[in-house]
Amino acid sequence: WSRRTCPRARTERVASSADRAHAHSHAHEHGHTHRAGRSLRIALALNATFLVVEVLGGLAFHSLALLADGVHMVSDVVALGIAAAAAALALRPPTDRHTYGFGRAEIVAATLNAVVLLLASTAIVVAAISRLGTPVQVHGGGVIAVAAVGLVVNVASALVLARDAASNLNVRAALWHMVGDALGSVAALVAGVAVVVWHANWVDPVASIVVTGLVVVGGWRVLRDAISVLLDAVPAHLDRGAVVETILAEPGVTAAHHLHLWTIGTGDVALSAHVVLDGERTLHDAQELAERVKHRLDHEYGITHSTIEVECHPCGADDH
């Protein structure tokens, strides 16, 4: 057979092209990961430093608003640490024991973080309610100073993260943490101004309850999303029916069944499915069609790990 018509030669050319494309994509992703990791480390350093300042300020000035915002910032620091660790782990290749890599480590850590966050928030609310009956003298000037510095840190961190938020889900989540913490700093500023101008010490515990409410909402969302990942639920941003329709829209595909969608790590979506092809196809043709389906799933839905089992007729109901 000539090289022009030999199926093996055509397969080698397809494989070589796919290898080059995969290598280019891998290098491109690593470049994004390195840059995202650097942004996350900068934001982590800024927030960890200010966390110490805010907690000490809350204790020194008797401000529950500052302490509540400090609790929120703990969640931000932990979230940034998780995201930075995930960026570092993403550069490590899978192993024989961890064939999917180490993406689930950050999901487990996020679950623990959310539980601790909710418990700490409960303690802040209990303390704030007790202060509503017997307000404590708050040093408004100190609260304003610390909260103003915190707002600057939050905005600076958000600007650093915003550069990579569009292309990296970890960074995008960390950016939203910074936005939430900026709101907490604004609440602490309001409490400080109220104390200085109107001597309204009761505003401080009220502001702490408002900030804690933001923390509880964020913590619950983190916990809910982490549990969904651990239970291998279909990612919230994907419609399973739409994915099936996309597979069926590929010429040559007549049916798709036993389709599963789940998240390996943060934003790393996997799929497995049985796809029925029309007619009697060679192994080479079937493989090429499966590769087209995988490319389409990656392009339209960002599904980066697809396992397609091609069939010439549907398997029996008892086979799965």
Side-chain angles (χ1 to χ4, degrees), residues 147-232:
V149 175
L151 185 59
V152 171
V153 170
N154 299 146
V155 172
S157 299
L159 291 175
V160 170
L161 295 174
R163 298 177 300 177
D164 301 297
S167 59
N168 189 290
L169 186 61
N170 265 338
V171 177
R172 201 179 312 156
L175 175 61
W176 280 110
H177 272 280
M178 294 299 98
V179 172
D181 207 53
L183 294 175
S185 295
V186 171
L189 273 172
V190 170
V193 171
V195 170
V196 171
V197 177
W198 298 290
H199 306 288
N201 290 298
W202 60 269
V203 175
D204 181 75
V206 170
S208 70
I209 292 175
V210 173
V211 174
T212 303
L214 297 175
V215 175
V216 169
V217 171
W220 170 250
R221 287 178 177 174
V222 170
L223 183 61
R224 179 197 61 193
D225 294 344
I227 291 176
S228 292
V229 172
L230 294 176
L231 292 177
D232 289 330

Side-chain angles (χ1 to χ4, degrees), residues 1-294:
W1 290 354
S2 69
R3 186 170 181 80
R4 183 173 59 85
T5 59
C6 174
R8 179 179 177 184
R10 284 188 283 120
T11 302
E12 288 174 350
R13 287 198 296 274
V14 170
S16 177
S17 175
D19 289 343
R20 287 195 298 270
H22 177 74
H24 175 75
S25 175
H26 190 65
H28 187 68
E29 289 175 2
H30 270 220
H32 276 300
T33 302
H34 276 296
R35 191 177 66 183
R38 184 170 59 251
S39 298
L40 288 165
R41 288 192 295 272
I42 293 173
L44 176 61
L46 288 173
N47 283 267
T49 300
F50 182 71
L51 170 61
V52 176
V53 174
E54 188 164 43
V55 171
L56 292 178
L59 295 174
F61 304 131
H62 309 293
S63 172
L64 268 179
L66 283 180
L67 291 177
D69 194 42
V71 171
H72 194 184
M73 185 157 281
V74 168
S75 72
D76 294 335
V77 169
V78 173
L80 288 169
I82 290 172
L89 286 173
L91 299 176
R92 295 180 57 183
T95 65
D96 289 339
R97 183 170 179 82
H98 300 91
T99 56
Y100 271 127
F102 301 89
R104 283 286 173 94
E106 63 176 322
I107 304 300
V108 175
T111 304
L112 297 175
N113 172 40
V115 171
V116 172
L117 183 61
L118 293 174
L119 292 176
S121 298
T122 301
I124 290 291
V125 170
V126 170
I129 291 174
S130 66
R131 277 200 181 187
L132 286 174
T134 54
V136 175
Q137 182 63 39
V138 177
H139 300 282
V143 172
I144 292 174
V146 175
V149 175
L151 185 59
V152 171
V153 170
N154 299 146
V155 172
S157 299
L159 291 175
V160 170
L161 295 174
R163 298 177 300 177
D164 301 297
S167 59
N168 189 290
L169 186 61
N170 265 338
V171 177
R172 201 179 312 156
L175 175 61
W176 280 110
H177 272 280
M178 294 299 98
V179 172
D181 207 53
L183 294 175
S185 295
V186 171
L189 273 172
V190 170
V193 171
V195 170
V196 171
V197 177
W198 298 290
H199 306 288
N201 290 298
W202 60 269
V203 175
D204 181 75
V206 170
S208 70
I209 292 175
V210 173
V211 174
T212 303
L214 297 175
V215 175
V216 169
V217 171
W220 170 250
R221 287 178 177 174
V222 170
L223 183 61
R224 179 197 61 193
D225 294 344
I227 291 176
S228 292
V229 172
L230 294 176
L231 292 177
D232 289 330
V234 174
H237 67 285
L238 290 179
D239 182 343
R240 184 180 181 278
V243 173
V244 172
E245 291 299 323
T246 298
I247 295 175
L248 295 177
E250 183 67 31
V253 175
T254 62
H257 57 101
H258 291 161
L259 187 143
H260 301 280
L261 282 165
W262 71 98
T263 306
I264 300 172
T266 300
D268 200 2
V269 181
L271 172 146
S272 67
H274 293 204
V275 174
V276 184
L277 310 183
D278 60 1
E280 295 184 4
R281 295 175 176 266
T282 65
L283 177 60
H284 175 73
D285 290 340
Q287 182 177 342
E288 283 194 327
L289 196 154
E291 290 300 326
R292 290 197 300 271
V293 171
K294 292 178 182 180

